[in-house]
């Protein structure tokens, strides 16, 4: 297990480097001079030239890439064109805000999805199964921003139970503000987790070793424990993937609920052509995906000995 | 009072609900198993051998299965017991060795944990004692460097090792009856022999009874005290291994192995008779083997022939045998 862990971590390093290279190239492939983009179209020629030297754009490309890497490692992602503040700080703030929603939604999706899928898989082919399947199917099919708006109208506007805008001022207020966006965001992960768990549980129950477990005298509970252990790597993989999507933040949901997260920031950066911010978001999300994949792989290997060889 | 047999089966039937109708996989069989006895079930694919074994542990899926007749184990009526009592029986009084250990062992638990779990389930011992017993069992089934193997996962072992581990698991609570469903079919020829010899040795040492399903007449000749030949869910002939294998009386059994000399049996499989077994959802009237039988006569397809019991104890289900008595 330890050798697997070391190998897997080492394996992540070149991938992360590849990601930085990709983001770097993206900047240079984008139409127009990156400096023009930063300085704006009306900047005088000498200012542009000055910027060019300041950013190191006058040096050869490989050199520029190393410089870029060096700055990233120091946590320097440049300065936002729109606000003039360091990108790193803006990103950290937005990302932590999105993290609240993403973790909340992943938790809800995990609990509700495993419950729905587990019951459906355990009673495959019965009315309970059909009901659970329909519920999870609705989950993945309903547009969630629409659902978000419906919830806002019903729970926030009509019943006046929960706030629908912004993040509140921390503590309990933050929790109250998070309820609606978290529930809205949890709908899709719930449906997807439920479907995967149903399939995995149903398939596992039909495997021969379940018969063999019964043949050695185990009762329902003990057999169920084995099934859960066998299904858990699948759940971890699905949940990891969903968490990855959630961390990207949802432009739609964060806009509907005025939640200042990464989706919100991304939306602004696109409209304001704020290239440094855009680059920073892409870089950070990509690196986060790499990290998440690493965590999922390690967790899977811990749960399933057969995966430690790969 | 005559001694009650360890296991007795009377008129056992198993019907499966299938999309094409009810399939009668076991069509009324009678046999018994004494203490220390080895019974081999022989028969073509689909003749109901595995279903019979599973019925003996009440393992068949309840929702889609209807069971008739009576199975008694150590005097207890298996199908009248509450589920909880049946669970106590499984793995302790009756246990099973599956055909494909790779599929029958849980892939994410170590061999040691799976054996210890069984022991803890049935006996009041702690984990340390169960682990010690597990080690003893692996040594008993001759797994080399047994101590390391306790911590191995099924996929880390060879096929032969896995089957030995499966046997160790099945023997972990000293069962009175061991059911082995083609325990060597999934193995290489050389390993097959080793595992069979191991089973025979363990049987002699422990004095347990064994019901072994096999396709291999050589295996039956070498291990069985008694042999039962199945066709389309019925036992068509049963008796001592010597009687049935050397001078089979039922035309189906005769077709399988009458002409073969003992030395030629090793590894020979049961596929010698032309034709295919009947559709279990629409069994023909009378003897199910009649359409393929070379000794068919009038009356064969009219009514199911009764069991003919010969003076030497052999039982044959054929009107020819009936006429001979
Ligand atoms: N759960 C089930 N549902 C429906 N039919 C079944 C089920 N299990 C077995 N059968 C049918 O019962 C018949 C007997 O099957 P069984 O597995 O006992 O044969 P077998 O003698 O063990 O054959 P083999 O030598 O191939 O293992 C087959 O026709 C099979 O299709
Ligand atoms: Mg079988």
């Amino acid at each position: 297990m330890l050798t697997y862990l070391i190998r897997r971590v080492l394996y992540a390093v070149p991938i992360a480097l590849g990601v930085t290279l990709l983001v770097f190239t993206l900047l240079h492939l984008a139409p127009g001079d990156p400096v023009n983009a930063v300085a704006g179209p009306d900047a005088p020629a000498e200012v542009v030239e000055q910027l060019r030297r300041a950013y190191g754009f006058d040096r050869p490309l490989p050199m520029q890439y190393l410089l870029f890497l060096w700055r990233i490692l120091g946590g320097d992602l440049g300065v936002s064109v729109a606000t003039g503040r360091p990108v790193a700080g803006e990103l950290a703030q937005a990302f932590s805000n999105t993290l609240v929603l993403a973790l909340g939604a992943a938790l809800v999706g995990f609990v509700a999805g495993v419950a729905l899928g587990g019951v459906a898989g355990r009673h495959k082919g019965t009315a309970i199964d059909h009901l659970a399947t329909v519920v999870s199917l609705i989950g993945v099919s309903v547009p969630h921003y629409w659902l978000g708006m419906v919830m806002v109208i019903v729970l926030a506007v009509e019943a006046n139970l929960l706030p629908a805008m912004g993040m509140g001022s921390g503590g309990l207020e933050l929790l109250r503000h998070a309820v609606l966006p978290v529930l809205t965001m949890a709908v899709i992960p719930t449906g997807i987790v439920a479907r995967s768990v149903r399939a995995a549980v149903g398939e596992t129950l039909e495997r021969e070793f379940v018969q063999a477990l019964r043949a050695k005298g185990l009762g329902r509970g003990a057999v169920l424990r084995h099934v859960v252990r066998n299904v858990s790597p699948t759940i971890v993989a699905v949940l990891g993937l969903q968490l990855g999507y959630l961390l990207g933040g949802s432009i739609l949901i964060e806009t509907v609920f005025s939640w200042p997260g990464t989706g919100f920031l991304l939306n602004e950066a696109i409209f304001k052509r704020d290239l440094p911010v855009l680059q920073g978001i892409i870089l950070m999300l990509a690196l986060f995906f790499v990290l998440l994949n690493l965590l999922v792989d390690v967790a899977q290997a811990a749960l399933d000995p057969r995966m430690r060889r790969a | 009072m005559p001694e009650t047999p360890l296991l007795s089966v009377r008129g056992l039937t198993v019907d499966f609900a299938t999309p094409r109708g009810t399939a009668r996989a076991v069509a009324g069989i009678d046999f018994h198993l004494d203490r220390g006895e080895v019974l081999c079930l022989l028969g073509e694919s689909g003749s109901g051998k595995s279903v019979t074994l599973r019925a003996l542990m009440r393992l068949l899926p309840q929702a889609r299965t209807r069971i008739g007749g009576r199975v008694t184990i150590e005097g207890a009526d298996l199908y009248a017991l509450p589920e909880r009592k049946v669970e106590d029986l499984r793995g302790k009084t009756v246990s099973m060795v599956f055909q494909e250990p790779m599929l029958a062992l849980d892939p994410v638990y170590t061999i040691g944990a799976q054996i210890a779990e069984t022991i803890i389930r049935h006996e009041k011992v702690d984990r340390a004692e169960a682990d010690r017993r597990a080690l003893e069992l692996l040594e008993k089934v001759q797994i080399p460097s047994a101590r390391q193997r306790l911590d191995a996962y099924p996929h880390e072992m060879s096929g032969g090792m896995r089957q030995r581990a499966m046997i160790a698991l099945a023997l972990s609570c000293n069962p009175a009856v061991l059911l082995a469903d083609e325990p060597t079919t999934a193995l290489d020829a050389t390993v097959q022999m080793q595992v069979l010899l191991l089973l025979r040795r363990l049987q002699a040492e422990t004095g347990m009874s064994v019901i072994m399903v096999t396709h291999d007449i050589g295996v039956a000749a070498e291990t069985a005290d008694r042999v039962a030949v199945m066709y389309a869910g019925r036992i068509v002939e049963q008796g001592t291994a010597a009687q049935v294998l050397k001078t089979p009386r039922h035309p189906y059994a005769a077709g399988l192995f009458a002409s073969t000399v003992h030395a030629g049996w090793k590894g020979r499989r049961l596929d010698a008779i032309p034709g295919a077994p009947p559709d279990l959802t629409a069994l023909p009237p009378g003897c199910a083997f009649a359409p393929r039988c070379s000794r068919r006569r009038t009356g064969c397809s009219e009514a199911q022939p009764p069991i003919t019991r010969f003076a030497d104890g052999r039982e044959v289900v054929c009107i020819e045998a009936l006429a001979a008595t």
Side-chain angles (χ1 to χ4, degrees):
Chain A
M1 184 67 207
L2 192 67
T3 44
Y4 174 84
L5 185 71
I6 294 170
R7 213 151 24 113
R8 186 59 189 78
V9 169
L10 289 181
Y11 180 61
V13 172
I15 298 180
L17 277 178
V19 165
T20 60
L21 187 62
L22 208 70
V23 171
F24 174 77
T25 339
L26 226 57
L27 190 71
H28 286 266
L29 282 182
D33 191 316
V35 173
N36 282 340
V38 172
D42 311 323
E46 60 265 37
V47 174
V48 171
E49 197 45 46
Q50 209 177 338
L51 272 172
R52 199 179 293 276
R53 214 166 301 129
Y55 277 90
F57 285 137
D58 53 341
R59 316 235 192 133
L61 274 180
M63 197 60 208
Q64 284 189 42
Y65 172 63
L66 287 181
L67 218 70
F68 171 75
L69 256 188
W70 181 246
R71 283 195 289 120
I72 295 176
L73 284 177
D76 177 9
L77 293 171
V79 172
S80 163
V81 177
T83 64
R85 285 199 292 265
V87 171
E90 301 233 322
L91 262 180
Q93 186 57 48
F95 191 68
S96 64
N97 291 346
T98 292
L99 206 59
V100 173
L101 293 192
L103 289 180
L107 187 70
V108 174
F110 170 72
V111 173
V114 167
L116 270 176
V119 168
R122 173 81 181 70
H123 302 278
K124 213 165 192 172
T126 66
I128 305 175
D129 174 24
H130 297 316
L131 185 70
T133 305
V134 166
V135 169
S136 57
L137 201 68
I138 291 173
V140 283
S141 333
V142 164
H144 57 335
Y145 55 90
W146 175 82
L147 194 75
M149 287 191 285
V150 169
M151 284 208 286
V152 166
I153 292 168
V154 174
L155 290 174
V157 180
E158 297 289 334
N160 203 15
L161 283 175
L162 289 164
M165 301 279 282
M167 293 184 57
S169 47
L172 201 65
E173 267 303 290
L174 174 66
L175 275 183
R176 271 169 47 80
H177 279 80
V179 171
L180 287 182
V182 161
L183 285 183
T184 311
M185 266 175 105
V187 170
I188 288 180
T190 301
I192 289 175
V193 170
R195 281 204 305 195
S196 329
V197 169
R198 173 184 182 269
V201 168
E203 186 246 324
T204 304
L205 280 174
E206 291 194 349
R207 287 179 44 199
E208 176 118 312
F209 78 78
V210 172
Q211 288 281 314
L213 290 173
R214 297 215 296 134
K216 66 186 199 180
L218 298 192
R220 272 162 180 259
V223 171
L224 191 67
R225 234 186 54 230
H226 280 263
V227 172
V228 169
R229 269 289 267 115
N230 274 272
V231 169
S232 58
T234 313
I235 301 181
V236 165
V238 173
L239 205 68
L241 194 66
Q242 290 305 309
L243 187 61
Y245 291 140
L246 292 172
L247 279 174
S250 159
I251 294 186
L252 285 166
I253 287 179
E254 289 183 358
T255 308
V256 167
F257 292 99
S258 307
W259 192 274
T262 33
F264 201 74
L265 190 65
L266 188 66
N267 191 26
E268 266 183 29
I270 291 170
F271 274 103
K272 294 184 179 155
R273 296 178 171 281
D274 197 339
L275 215 56
V277 172
L278 211 55
Q279 190 192 28
I281 294 178
I282 294 171
L283 182 69
M284 191 194 58
L285 288 181
L287 288 179
F288 217 89
F289 248 94
V290 174
L291 179 68
L292 204 59
N293 265 317
L294 174 69
L295 291 179
V296 166
D297 279 0
V298 170
Q300 278 198 301
L303 291 168
D304 187 343
R306 286 166 299 178
M307 295 189 186
R308 284 169 212 166
R309 292 192 297 181
Chain B
M1 203 179 94
E3 203 191 334
T4 52
L6 178 56
L7 183 146
S8 107
V9 176
R10 288 281 153 252
L12 177 70
T13 58
V14 179
D15 292 303
F16 289 113
T18 73
R20 295 189 305 116
T22 306
R24 174 146 280 206
V26 176
I29 61 176
D30 300 88
F31 67 88
H32 62 88
L33 186 70
D34 291 327
R35 288 188 190 273
E37 192 176 39
V38 178
L39 170 70
C40 267
L41 283 182
L42 281 167
E44 282 176 318
S45 191
S47 55
K49 308 181 295 292
S50 300
V51 171
T52 302
L53 285 200
R54 278 170 200 232
L56 297 184
M57 290 187 94
R58 218 169 106 176
L59 274 178
L60 294 162
Q62 276 177 12
R64 285 176 289 127
T65 322
R66 212 176 55 242
I67 305 223
R70 214 173 136 88
V71 176
T72 38
I73 297 172
E74 291 186 326
D77 182 350
L78 182 67
Y79 282 88
L81 290 175
E83 182 65 23
R84 182 75 217 175
K85 283 270 186 292
V86 178
E87 283 168 11
D88 290 342
L89 228 84
R90 293 184 190 131
K92 174 135 184 79
T93 308
V94 188
S95 70
M96 190 179 282
V97 173
F98 288 75
Q99 176 174 350
E100 195 14 302
M102 189 62 181
L103 301 177
L105 291 166
D106 186 327
V108 303
Y109 284 80
T110 62
I111 296 296
Q114 299 191 49
I115 297 177
E117 183 182 36
T118 318
I119 299 173
I120 291 169
R121 163 67 183 84
H122 292 291
E123 291 170 31
K124 287 194 175 58
V125 297
D126 60 8
R127 180 63 201 252
E129 169 65 10
D131 283 341
R132 203 187 55 70
R133 289 259 305 269
L135 176 62
E136 244 175 53
L137 283 156
L138 289 192
E139 281 163 356
K140 201 158 139 191
V141 297
Q142 295 167 334
I143 287 183
S145 49
R147 192 170 293 277
Q148 283 96 294
R149 289 300 171 180
L150 278 180
D151 295 324
Y153 291 93
H155 74 270
E156 295 170 336
M157 302 174 116
S158 69
M161 274 323 139
R162 272 198 294 270
Q163 193 56 297
R164 284 170 193 268
M166 180 95 231
I167 291 170
L169 195 153
L171 296 184
S172 57
C173 297
N174 305 309
V177 183
L178 184 74
L179 308 178
D181 193 348
E182 305 193 37
T184 61
T185 318
L187 307 174
D188 296 339
T190 49
V191 184
Q192 279 191 359
M193 211 54 224
Q194 293 168 3
V195 170
L196 276 174
L197 290 175
L198 172 74
L199 269 175
R200 202 162 69 171
R201 203 199 75 220
L202 291 170
Q203 189 276 327
E205 274 175 25
T206 60
M208 63 184 171
S209 310
V210 176
I211 302 182
M212 179 142 76
V213 166
T214 179
H215 274 252
D216 190 324
I217 304 163
V219 169
E222 238 151 297
T223 55
D225 297 315
R226 285 194 306 123
V227 168
V229 180
M230 287 190 75
Y231 185 79
R234 283 178 200 277
I235 294 180
V236 293
E237 175 160 1
Q238 62 175 314
T240 66
Q243 293 167 347
V244 178
L245 296 176
K246 291 222 181 76
T247 56
R249 300 198 72 139
H250 192 282
Y252 173 66
L256 289 181
F257 35 75
S259 59
T260 329
V261 288
H262 187 166
W265 285 352
K266 197 167 287 175
R268 206 176 82 100
R269 296 179 68 87
L270 308 180
D271 47 17
I273 302 173
D279 178 359
L280 297 179
T281 58
L283 285 171
C287 173
F289 184 61
R292 291 167 75 186
C293 186
S294 58
R295 281 143 57 184
R296 183 177 52 236
R297 48 167 96 176
T298 51
C300 278
S301 293
E302 270 155 32
Q304 170 61 33
I307 299 174
T308 308
R309 207 164 274 111
F310 288 89
D312 58 0
R314 168 186 338 212
E315 295 177 4
V316 179
V317 181
C318 176
I319 57 170
E320 191 184 271
L322 188 65
T325 51

